[in-house]
Every structure is written in C-alpha cells, then in structure tokens.
Amino acid sequence: MSRTRVLTPVGGLEPGPMAAILANHAIPGCEVSGTGESGRSHTRLLATPGGPRRVTVTVRPDDVELTADTDDDGEFAHLVRTTRAWLDLDTDVAAVARAFDGDPLLGPLVRRRPGLRAVGYPEAFEAAIMTVLGQQVSVAAGGTFGGRLAAAYGTPSTAGLTLFPTPQAIAAAPHGELRDAVGVTRTRAATVQNVARAVVDGLSLDPAGDHATVRKDLLAIPGIGPWSADYLAVRVLRDPDAFTPGDLVARRAMGNPSIRDAGRRSEAWRPYRAYALFHLWTAATYTGP
C-alpha cells in the first residue's frame, strides 16, 4: 500500500534546479529519475525505523508530492520529515533572497530564482561516500562509481532498487576487490574504506551535532580534505552558513578568485553562505528555464 502527501514549501520553489540536482546526482541502481504528467520524479529507498521504504518525490511548479510504499502512520510521518529536510522545504527562502538582494553578484541571481533551495542528501553515510567518489571527477563519473559500489556491496530490495552499502560492508571488503569493482585508484578506494571505518567506529554526521567537531573529525580521516568537509557541511549537516571556497564551479561563477579570496568574499554572504553557493552552482551549471 502506498500513501501520498503534498509537501508545501515555505515560500517559493524553483522546480527545474531541484529536479536537476536530484537527477544529476542519482546513483544507478539505487535511484531513478523520470518525467511524469505533473512534474519530474525521483524514486529511491529511504530509511525508516521499520526498515527502508520506496519513495517517489515529484517536483511540481509550486510543491513536491511524496508517495511512499508504507501503510504505517509512524513510518509515513518519518518519511515526510526526512523528505522536507532533504529538499530544504522549511527554509524561508524569501528571507534569503532579501539578504542577497543588494549584492552585485548574488542580487541578480536571487531575483532570477528566488525560490532556490539548498537540496541536501537524505542518507549521511551515502553522501559521504559519494562525495569521496566524486572528488576531482565529473558528476556523471562519480555516479558511475557509486553505481558500481552499490552493485557490488549493496542490498537488492523487493522494491526493485538497491539499498546503498552499509558502512560495515564497505569497511570489511578486501581492498583490492573493492578497488577493482568500483574502478577507482588505490588511494580513492582507501579513502572510501577509511570513511566507512570511521563511521563504524562512531563518526556521526548528524545535522543536530556540533558542526565544528564533525568537520575536525572528517579532516582527521586520511584522504578527506577541506573541500569534502565543507561540501558535507553544506549538503549533509545542512549548515545554512557553510561554504566551499575551494569549489571550482563556484569560483568560476565568482570570476575565478583564489581559494583565499573566495573565502574572503563569502564573508559578505553570512549567514546564508550555503544558499549563495547553490545560486553560484546553479548559475554555472543549470541550463533549464
């Protein structure tokens, strides 16, 4: 049995960029994006206290429709909360737009897309691994690596999708076997397993935790650098003021300043630097209406 609810955002919505980021970062085998009569859809498994459930979010012009394969009230309420946080539907984007309105770079961007939201990830460990796999490669290549990892170590479900591998499965895999299965370098495979072992040992990527401590713990993992830690602060910890000064796409949209200068310029965008980042990313990469 499935249940459906319309999720209304606080303020406006930019459906094109939201649907695009979901589709572009989809993990083959784990997620499926498509186009329906009412909007662009995205289907995947999400965790609940009773186990993973298949959900579909359909991004429409003014809202998001959630359909979940569950008849349990508690599970459905959990999935509603997860989806609202994942898609950043509870942020007052009008306040963000007002904060940026007078900025010479961001002002025109927010006036063009005032409803842009800082879309996150619904599963923290999955996000951390995909961030490692996406370092210094294209988004498409990172997705390919993730799909291979899921095919090798994930769990097939009766819903027809693969559940992303657990930290335990990745940590326990023979190093050479994992490297060959995913098709990455020895160093990249080692970082993937380092992250998995850190999570097994107690690393928590909880948005409610102390973000400075999480960043310190991430940077202590061999193979994790500032860009990865900053990116996870934006998309997993959901810190509205996090920023990635080392991000090439964002700096290109800023006119190619140095990493240090990008960080300095971002100071003017507090306390919404993560939203500045999404506007920069969208301006640099999104080609839709």
Side-chain angles (χ1 to χ4, degrees):
M1 177 180 177
S2 64
R3 302 177 67 171
T4 298
R5 180 175 297 180
V6 174
L7 308 181
T8 303
V10 177
L13 182 70
E14 302 295 333
M18 178 178 285
I21 195 170
L22 294 176
N24 292 343
H25 290 266
I27 304 169
C30 298
E31 302 172 273
V32 178
S33 290
T35 302
E37 293 182 2
S38 60
R40 291 178 63 181
S41 65
H42 189 81
T43 301
R44 61 163 295 144
L45 299 170
L46 288 182
T48 75
R53 300 290 180 257
R54 179 186 175 109
V55 304
T56 297
V57 293
T58 301
V59 183
R60 308 190 301 191
D62 299 310
D63 55 40
V64 174
E65 183 180 81
L66 169 67
T67 301
D69 289 349
T70 181
D71 58 3
D72 182 275
D73 290 344
E75 288 185 356
F76 188 62
H78 178 89
L79 291 169
V80 168
R81 291 192 298 271
T82 297
T83 303
R84 292 194 69 90
W86 167 25
L87 302 181
D88 191 36
L89 297 180
D90 292 323
T91 295
D92 181 3
V93 290
V96 176
R98 287 194 298 271
F100 291 152
D101 187 62
D103 187 271
L105 176 59
L106 292 179
L109 302 184
V110 297
R111 286 191 288 275
R112 183 179 181 188
R113 297 189 179 97
L116 192 69
R117 296 182 177 273
V119 177
Y121 271 95
E123 305 289 352
F125 175 69
E126 173 190 309
I129 295 301
M130 292 305 298
T131 298
V132 171
L133 293 176
Q135 291 172 348
Q136 299 176 330
V137 299
S138 68
V139 171
T144 297
F145 294 149
R148 292 173 183 169
L149 183 72
Y153 301 105
T155 304
S157 74
T158 56
L161 296 170
T162 299
L163 187 65
F164 195 79
T166 65
Q168 293 79 6
I170 294 177
H175 179 75
E177 175 190 280
L178 184 144
R179 184 184 72 243
D180 292 343
V182 181
V184 292
T185 64
R186 182 184 302 272
T187 301
R188 187 67 52 90
T191 303
V192 166
Q193 293 195 288
N194 289 339
V195 171
R197 289 170 184 143
V199 173
V200 170
D201 290 341
L203 172 67
S204 174
L205 299 175
D206 185 352
D210 182 81
H211 292 185
T213 299
V214 174
R215 189 176 194 278
K216 180 180 177 181
D217 291 343
L218 283 168
L219 291 174
I221 300 173
I224 295 293
W227 178 85
S228 297
D230 292 337
Y231 183 82
L232 290 171
V234 172
R235 299 207 60 203
V236 175
L237 302 183
R238 305 186 190 109
D239 183 345
D241 199 35
F243 192 75
T244 58
D247 189 85
L248 291 174
V249 175
R251 285 194 288 134
R252 185 168 72 239
M254 295 171 70
N256 295 309
S258 67
I259 293 176
R260 177 174 293 182
D261 285 344
R264 288 172 177 167
R265 288 181 63 181
S266 76
E267 292 295 317
W269 302 330
R270 292 186 184 275
Y272 297 121
R273 295 192 304 167
Y275 292 89
L277 189 62
F278 267 83
H279 278 284
L280 294 171
W281 280 339
T282 303
T285 64
Y286 181 65
T287 58

